[in-house]
Amino acid sequence: MMSLLVVGAIIVSIVLGYRFKLNIGLFAIAFAYLIGCFGMGMSPKEVIATWPLKIFFIIFSVCLFYSFAIVNGTLEKLAEHLMYRCRNVPSLMPFAIFLAATVISGLGAGYYTVLAFMAPITLLLCNRTGLSLIVGGMAVNYGALAGANFVSSQSGIIFRTLMTSAGVSDNQAFLNALGIFASTLIVPVVVLAGLIVVGRRRGSAVASLEHVERPSPLNREQKTTLTLTLIMMATVLLPPIASLLLPDNAAVAFVNAKVDIGLIASVFSVIALLLKLGDERQAIASLPWGTIIMICGVGMLISVAIKAGTIDLLGSWIGTNIPPALIPVAFGVAAALMSLFASTLGVVTPALFPLVLPIANTLAIDPMIIFIAIVVGAQATSISPFSSGGSLILGSCPDDRARAGLLPKLLFRAAPLGFVAAMVFNLLLTFVF
C-alpha cells in the first residue's frame, strides 16, 4: 500500500508541476515530508537527510564554473564561429547545427542553456534558408543532449553520480557514461542523415547560408575562459582514463582516488574569479536553480520510495513479467513515455537508475546496456512540446502563429520519429551486445 502511495505521489508531482507550471521538485519535497513523516514514521531529520547533498554540490560547483563561459559570451561566440565555418556546405546545415550544439553543450553549458540561446538562432536559420523546422529543431535538441551527456558535462556528471549512488563503482560509472555519450551521439547522426536524404528527394534542401556573417574574434576573457575550460576537462578526464589503462599502478590509483569533479570545479571557479573572467553575482544568478531544485526534490521522494520498498517491488515485477532479452527495450519505452511530460535529469533517471543493478544482477544482463537504453529512450521524446526541450524550442518561436504551427509537428512528427529511432537502436544494442 505504501509503495502505491509513493508511486502515486511521483505521478501527482509531475501532473501538478505540468498543470500549474511550477517546479516538480517542490511538490516532491512536500510529498516526501508528508509520506515519510506521517505515513512511514520517519523523523523530520531523517526526511531532510534524504536531500541528495552530493548531487546538489556537484551540480552547483560544476555549473558555477561553466557559468563564467556563459556570462562573458564565450560559448555564444564559439557557436557563431562553428556555424560560420559550415556556411559553404548548406546541405549539411543540420549537422552544423548539431555539431555546434554538441560542442557548446559538451564544454559545459548544459542542455537547457544551449537550447535557450541556440534554439532562436536555429529557427531563424530555418526561416531564412528553407530548412525544415522539424529537422532544425531535432538537430539543435539532439546536439544539446549529446554534448551535455559527455562525461565531464552537466548531464554526464549527474548520470555518473546517480549510478554511483545506486551502487556502481566509480570506474564502471565512468565507462557507462562514455557508453551513454557515444550512443546519444550515434542515434542523432543516423536520424539526421536519413532526414537530409529524404529532404533532398522531396526537393526541400537548404537554399543558402551566405547571410551568415563572419563573427568577431574571441576577446582576451573569452580565450582565457576557453583555455581554462579545456584544462579543467583534461584534469577531470585523464586520471580515470589512466586508471582504466593502468589498473595496477599505485600512483595513478592514488591520484584518481583524489579526483572529484565538484571540488575541482570549485578550484577552477576561484581561478576564474581571480582572472576576472566574469562577475561573481552574475555567475551565481545564471545557475540552473530550477533544475537543481527539481533533481534534488525528486531525489528526496525517490529516497522515501526506496525506504518504502517501492523500488525493490517494481524491480521484482519487471524481472518476473518481462522476458530478459526485452528488459533494456522495456526500460527504454518506459523512459520515453515518462519523458513526454517529465525531465530526464529530474524525474526519469532518478526514478529508473536505482532499478538497474538489482535486475541486471538477477538476470545476468550487462547494466551498461540498461543504463544506455534508459537515457536513449528518455531523450528520444524530450522534443515533445510538453517536455523541457520541446517547450524551450516553442518558446523560441518569433510569434504565436509560428508557435501554433510548430506544436503539432513536434508532438506528432518529431517525438514519434525520435521514439522509433531510439527503440530500433535499443533493440540492436540488446541483441548485438
Side-chain angles (χ1 to χ4, degrees):
M1 180 62 186
M2 191 57 62
S3 295
L4 291 176
L5 185 62
V6 176
V7 172
I10 295 173
I11 296 173
V12 170
S13 295
I14 296 172
V15 172
L16 290 176
Y18 170 70
R19 172 66 179 82
F20 296 104
K21 306 299 182 185
L22 297 173
N23 196 305
I24 295 172
L26 297 175
F27 291 106
I29 293 171
F31 280 122
Y33 167 58
L34 294 173
I35 295 174
C37 285
F38 301 101
M40 297 172 53
M42 297 172 63
S43 68
K45 184 180 294 186
E46 288 176 318
V47 173
I48 293 172
T50 61
W51 177 268
L53 186 60
K54 183 178 180 181
I55 294 177
F56 171 80
F57 175 73
I58 288 175
I59 300 174
F60 167 79
S61 55
V62 171
C63 291
L64 177 61
F65 169 71
Y66 285 131
S67 66
F68 289 99
I70 299 170
V71 169
N72 63 27
T74 301
L75 298 179
E76 187 172 357
K77 184 69 68 176
L78 193 59
E80 293 174 0
H81 277 276
L82 286 172
M83 295 295 293
Y84 178 75
R85 299 296 179 193
C86 299
R87 71 192 184 284
N88 294 324
V89 281
S91 62
L92 298 181
M93 191 175 79
F95 286 114
I97 295 171
F98 172 75
L99 176 63
T102 301
V103 172
I104 302 305
S105 186
L107 285 173
Y111 174 60
Y112 299 103
T113 302
V114 170
L115 275 189
F117 74 78
M118 279 206 64
I121 298 174
T122 300
L123 295 184
L124 180 63
L125 284 172
C126 289
N127 290 330
R128 291 184 178 180
T129 63
L131 177 68
S132 165
L133 289 175
I134 293 298
V135 177
M138 293 187 74
V140 69
N141 188 64
Y142 269 141
L145 288 169
N149 290 343
F150 188 58
V151 289
S152 65
S153 194
Q154 189 181 112
S155 300
I157 293 167
I158 293 171
F159 295 152
R160 287 167 60 189
T161 306
L162 289 172
M163 283 186 275
T164 54
S165 299
V168 180
S169 66
D170 288 337
N171 281 349
Q172 189 58 50
F174 182 82
L175 287 174
N176 292 346
L178 279 177
I180 290 172
F181 170 68
S183 300
T184 53
L185 201 62
I186 293 170
V187 174
V189 171
V190 175
V191 172
L192 292 176
L195 289 173
I196 290 174
V197 171
V198 172
R200 282 183 173 178
R201 289 181 176 178
R202 292 180 177 178
S204 57
V206 179
S208 173
L209 283 177
E210 294 179 356
H211 65 278
V212 177
E213 300 179 357
R214 184 186 185 92
S216 59
L218 277 69
N219 59 32
R220 183 198 71 84
E221 290 80 9
Q222 292 167 345
K223 290 179 180 178
T224 305
T225 301
L226 183 58
T227 301
L228 202 61
T229 300
L230 295 175
I231 293 173
M232 196 199 86
M233 291 177 68
T235 304
V236 170
L237 294 176
L238 290 180
I241 293 174
S243 178
L244 292 171
L245 297 176
L246 304 169
D248 299 324
N249 189 297
V252 170
F254 174 80
V255 173
N256 188 45
K258 302 299 180 183
V259 170
D260 181 272
I261 187 158
L263 295 173
I264 290 174
S266 299
V267 172
F268 275 83
S269 294
V270 173
I271 296 173
L273 285 171
L274 293 175
L275 293 175
K276 301 185 183 303
L277 299 182
D279 181 80
E280 177 188 359
R281 286 175 295 181
Q282 284 185 316
I284 293 176
S286 67
L287 291 176
W289 291 111
T291 302
I292 292 174
I293 292 171
M294 178 172 59
I295 291 172
C296 293
V298 173
M300 289 181 69
L301 190 52
I302 296 298
S303 295
V304 171
I306 292 173
K307 290 182 181 294
T310 307
I311 302 300
D312 292 336
L313 185 64
L314 184 58
S316 176
W317 183 88
I318 293 175
T320 55
N321 289 274
I322 297 177
L326 295 179
I327 290 290
V329 178
F331 269 102
V333 171
L337 294 176
M338 291 172 68
S339 186
L340 281 170
F341 303 96
S343 164
T344 299
L345 297 179
V347 177
V348 181
T349 49
L352 297 182
F353 272 20
L355 296 171
V356 174
L357 276 189
I359 292 177
N361 293 335
T362 302
L363 302 177
I365 302 173
D366 187 349
M368 180 190 289
I369 295 177
I370 304 180
F371 283 124
I372 291 174
I374 290 172
V375 177
V376 169
Q379 296 187 344
T381 55
S382 65
I383 200 169
S384 157
F386 305 120
S387 192
S388 49
S391 61
L392 281 170
I393 293 174
L394 282 177
S396 302
C397 289
D399 52 55
D400 291 337
R401 181 179 179 182
R403 191 173 295 110
L406 184 58
L407 190 148
K409 293 180 180 178
L410 293 179
L411 183 60
F412 298 113
R413 291 175 59 187
L417 177 61
F419 175 79
V420 171
M423 293 310 105
V424 170
F425 178 84
N426 284 344
L427 279 171
L428 292 174
L429 184 71
T430 301
F431 291 105
V432 173
F433 297 99

